[in-house]
Amino acid sequence: MKKNTQTQEFNDILADENSVASFNYTAYQSGTLEVQFTINNPQVFHSSDGPKNDMNDLMEAALQASKDKLSTYVATEN
């Protein structure tokens, strides 16, 4: 059996030192990507550029992690 290694990241997105959202992802060795994004203070999140920019940066990092995992993945033969 081949192990499917993964990378996980859990991040809070802050505005004025208060958590306004969370962004969590798991990138698997096969390139599969699971993302959970939750906005828990929509008024502050949508009225500030900082949290939106942070979310965009985190999404780019998640996509890159998926791409990096896939680049080293070798599918098993059935």
Side-chain angles (χ1 to χ4, degrees):
M1 177 189 328
K2 182 177 178 179
K3 268 189 161 177
N4 192 359
T5 60
Q6 60 189 13
T7 299
Q8 294 181 311
E9 280 203 19
F10 304 92
N11 300 277
D12 285 328
I13 298 174
L14 306 176
D16 298 325
E17 298 187 30
N18 295 310
S19 178
V20 296
S22 62
F23 185 93
N24 309 312
Y25 76 83
T26 304
Y28 295 92
Q29 190 66 38
S30 62
T32 301
L33 178 65
E34 294 176 0
V35 175
Q36 180 181 13
F37 175 58
T38 304
I39 298 173
N40 53 30
N41 189 335
Q43 292 81 9
V44 175
F45 182 87
H46 292 298
S47 67
S48 304
D49 286 335
K52 290 181 275 187
N53 292 337
D54 290 346
M55 190 275 305
N56 287 335
D57 292 344
L58 291 167
M59 190 64 221
E60 284 183 36
L63 290 169
Q64 188 62 49
S66 173
K67 184 178 177 180
D68 292 346
K69 291 286 187 186
L70 180 60
S71 71
T72 62
Y73 182 68
V74 177
T76 57
E77 294 182 25
N78 290 337

